[in-house]
Amino acid sequence: MTAIIIDGKALAEKVRGRIAADVAALKAKGITPGLAVVLVGDDPASQVYVRNKVAACEKVGMKSLMHKLPATTSEADLLALVETLNRDATIHGILVQFPVPKQISQERVIATIAPEKDVDGLHAESAGALMQGVPHFVSCTPLGCMEMLKDIGMADLRGKHAVVIGRSNLVGKPMAMLLLHANATVTICHSGTKDLEAVTRQADVLVAAVGKAQFLRASMVKPGAVVLDVGINRLPAEQGGGLVGDVDFESVKEVASYITPVPGGVGPMTITMLLQNTLMAARGSCFG
Ligand code: NAP
């Protein structure tokens, strides 16, 4: 079997077209959705992510405000900026790009963002709402993965076993919750999982969010499984320096029924869901 490749770029374009139309309608009512993106330091990967997010906002007609702070920024100064953005009525979403330098607590930054502007879905209030099945803002990457499943006709996963490798607050845990809400039977794997392959081979839907290049091999995949690759890993220069996922794409595509490529899979959908969350924040549709 050779898997059907899920084209995240094409799906993202389609959804962004809808978002652009909704943004135009909101602007006609006098509201321009605004996203503030905060970058602390000069991590090259973060700079690329942030640039892509800002460009995507502008392309759908949203306002995006970029705040670039030096790597020496104190936690107090960053929290003060977040508080200012919380009070700014022209800003509907706030995204602080992680990781932040080590003198700053990521947890305190997340807790300071107003829940109604938490378009990254990381605030405890957002995470708790998702857990209770009444989601406000949901982390963009898992949300993008669910859109991809919907697009291939797998919105309802009743009777399916979904396995998520990874348990981060950003990807693994919210992914597992969304799969559960879609009626899948869900298993979460992590570095303490015994005989990982025995678990992953049971998956009808397999999500890899490990952060290790080409970690998931064909022997770990049940024939016919749907494989979503969240990973973004840069290969060392001696291996060409390109971007690869957490899935060994070449071998796994011979076993899976559907597979997402890297790049051009989950990545574009992540940014699209950020736009969707910002639009939702501007509409105030989930608060008040
Ligand atoms: P993370 O916080 O580092 O989490 C990685 C998870 O993988 C952890 O839960 C870890 O387990 C688990 N893990 C590590 N080694 C393992 C092993 N040998 N067997 C089983 N599980 C193992 O990373 P993340 O933020 O979730 O991101 C994961 C990947 O997705 C990264 O490559 C990241 O760059 C990428 N990413 C992509 C997008 C996108 O837009 N496509 C967005 C976000 C992240 P423990 O908890 O036990 O340590």
Coordinates of all heavy atoms in Angstrom, one line a residue, residues 19 23 46 66 74 95 102 109 129 143 160 174 213 220 223 255 257 285 287:
I19 N -11.3 32.2 6.2 CA -11.0 33.1 7.3 C -10.9 34.5 6.8 O -11.4 35.5 7.4 CB -9.7 32.7 8.0 CG1 -9.9 31.3 8.8 CG2 -9.2 33.8 8.9 CD1 -8.6 30.7 9.3
V23 N -12.9 37.7 8.0 CA -12.1 38.9 8.5 C -12.7 40.1 7.8 O -13.0 41.2 8.5 CB -10.6 38.8 8.3 CG1 -9.9 40.1 8.5 CG2 -10.0 37.7 9.2
S46 N 12.8 30.1 15.9 CA 11.6 30.9 16.4 C 11.4 32.2 15.5 O 10.3 32.6 15.3 CB 11.9 31.4 17.8 OG 11.9 30.4 18.7
M66 N 4.3 43.0 15.9 CA 5.4 42.2 16.3 C 6.2 42.9 17.4 O 6.6 44.1 17.2 CB 6.3 42.0 15.1 CG 7.6 41.4 15.3 SD 7.4 39.6 15.4 CE 9.1 39.2 15.4
S74 N 14.2 40.9 31.1 CA 13.8 40.3 32.4 C 12.4 39.8 32.4 O 11.6 40.2 31.5 CB 13.9 41.3 33.6 OG 12.9 42.3 33.4
L95 N 0.4 36.1 21.4 CA 1.2 34.8 21.3 C 2.6 35.2 21.7 O 3.3 36.0 21.1 CB 1.2 34.4 19.8 CG 1.9 33.1 19.5 CD1 1.2 32.3 18.4 CD2 3.4 33.3 19.1
K102 N 16.2 31.5 29.7 CA 16.0 30.7 30.9 C 15.7 31.6 32.2 O 15.2 31.1 33.2 CB 17.2 29.8 31.2 CG 18.5 30.5 31.3 CD 19.6 29.4 31.5 CE 21.0 30.0 31.6 NZ 21.4 31.0 30.7
V109 N 4.5 33.4 32.3 CA 4.1 34.1 31.1 C 2.7 33.6 30.6 O 1.8 34.4 30.4 CB 5.1 33.9 29.9 CG1 4.6 34.6 28.6 CG2 6.5 34.5 30.3
A129 N -10.8 23.9 30.1 CA -12.0 23.9 29.4 C -12.0 22.8 28.3 O -13.0 22.1 28.1 CB -12.2 25.3 28.7
L143 N -5.4 21.2 16.9 CA -6.6 21.6 16.2 C -6.4 21.4 14.7 O -7.3 20.9 14.0 CB -6.8 23.1 16.6 CG -8.2 23.7 16.5 CD1 -9.2 22.8 17.3 CD2 -8.2 25.1 17.0
K160 N -12.3 3.6 16.8 CA -10.9 3.6 16.3 C -10.0 3.8 17.6 O -10.4 4.4 18.6 CB -10.7 4.8 15.4 CG -11.6 4.9 14.2 CD -11.1 4.0 13.1 CE -11.9 4.2 11.9 NZ -12.1 3.0 11.1
P174 N -3.3 18.1 24.5 CA -4.5 18.6 23.9 C -4.9 17.7 22.7 O -6.1 17.5 22.4 CB -4.2 20.0 23.4 CG -2.7 20.1 23.6 CD -2.2 19.1 24.6
A213 N 14.0 13.3 15.0 CA 14.0 13.1 13.5 C 13.7 11.6 13.1 O 14.5 10.7 13.5 CB 15.3 13.6 12.9
M220 N 6.7 0.2 13.2 CA 5.9 0.6 14.3 C 4.4 1.0 13.9 O 3.6 1.4 14.7 CB 6.5 1.9 14.9 CG 8.0 1.6 15.4 SD 8.8 3.1 15.8 CE 8.2 3.5 17.4
P223 N -0.6 -1.7 9.2 CA -0.9 -1.4 7.8 C -2.3 -0.7 7.8 O -3.3 -1.1 8.4 CB -1.0 -2.8 7.2 CG 0.0 -3.6 8.0 CD -0.1 -3.1 9.4
V255 N 3.2 1.8 4.3 CA 2.4 1.0 5.2 C 1.1 1.7 5.5 O 0.0 1.1 5.6 CB 3.2 0.8 6.5 CG1 2.4 -0.1 7.5 CG2 4.5 0.1 6.2
S257 N -2.3 4.4 5.4 CA -3.3 4.7 4.4 C -3.2 6.2 4.0 O -3.4 6.6 2.9 CB -4.7 4.3 4.8 OG -5.0 5.0 6.0
S285 N -16.4 35.3 20.5 CA -17.5 34.3 20.4 C -17.5 33.3 21.5 O -18.4 32.6 21.7 CB -17.5 33.6 19.1 OG -16.2 33.1 18.8
F287 N -16.3 34.2 24.8 CA -16.3 34.8 26.1 C -17.4 35.9 26.0 O -17.6 36.6 25.1 CB -15.0 35.5 26.4 CG -13.9 34.5 26.7 CD1 -13.1 33.9 25.7 CD2 -13.7 34.1 28.0 CE1 -12.1 33.0 26.0 CE2 -12.7 33.2 28.3 CZ -11.9 32.7 27.3

